[in-house]
């Protein structure tokens, strides 16, 4: 079974870059029909999709975060990472790495099948 584990600093200062890594086991991040994604949940708010990377390496980001977001991968270590620059306290959230898997013929039919446990990141001076 695929398992995902987030790692990275739990505290980031304002204006710095938030960096997290998701380590994947039980499957390859180059697997087709899978979107390797980052999602976050600020305290008291709902889930917010950040972006994802396809097995091809192509990336897609939320319009509201695109200018500050970068998703990359390290295929040798079966990892993908998130960098969110110029953070503010509003970026404080639990961050999840998630694997969306295709389940139908349409390329819109993906669901979040595999989740990491989530990691708390606090932006504070």
């Amino acid at each position: 079974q695929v398992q995902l584990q987030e790692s990275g600093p739990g505290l980031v200062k304002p204006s710095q870059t938030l960096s997290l890594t998701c380590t994947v086991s039980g499957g390859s991040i180059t697997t087709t029909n899978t979107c390797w994604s980052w999602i976050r949940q600020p305290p008291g708010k709902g889930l917010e999709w950040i972006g994802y990377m396809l097995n091809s390496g192509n990336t897609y980001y939320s319009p509201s975060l695109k200018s500050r977001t970068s998703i990359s991968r390290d295929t040798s270590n079966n990892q993908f990472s998130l960098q969110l620059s110029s953070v503010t306290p509003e970026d404080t959230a639990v961050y999840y790495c998630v694997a969306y898997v295709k389940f139908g013929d349409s390329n819109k039919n993906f669901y979040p099948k595999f989740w990491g446990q989530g990691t708390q990141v606090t932006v504070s001076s």
Side-chain angles (χ1 to χ4, degrees), residues 1 3 7 21 23 38-39 41 48 54-57 63-64 68 74 76-77 80-81 88 94 104 109 121:
Q1 183 179 2
Q3 293 183 314
S7 62
T21 296
T23 300
W38 288 97
I39 296 171
Q41 185 170 30
E48 179 183 18
L54 299 174
N55 64 292
S56 64
S64 64
R68 300 192 292 129
D74 180 352
S76 296
N77 293 300
F80 64 102
S81 299
T88 72
V94 177
N109 293 334
V121 179

Side-chain angles (χ1 to χ4, degrees), residues 17-62:
T17 296
L18 182 158
S19 297
L20 296 172
T21 296
C22 183
T23 300
V24 179
S25 61
S28 173
I29 62 172
T30 61
T31 300
T32 59
N33 296 318
T34 303
C35 296
W36 305 96
S37 310
W38 288 97
I39 296 171
R40 69 181 184 180
Q41 185 170 30
K45 299 182 179 180
L47 294 169
E48 179 183 18
W49 176 72
I50 299 171
Y52 65 83
M53 174 176 285
L54 299 174
N55 64 292
S56 64
N58 290 344
T59 55
Y60 302 86
Y61 305 117
S62 169

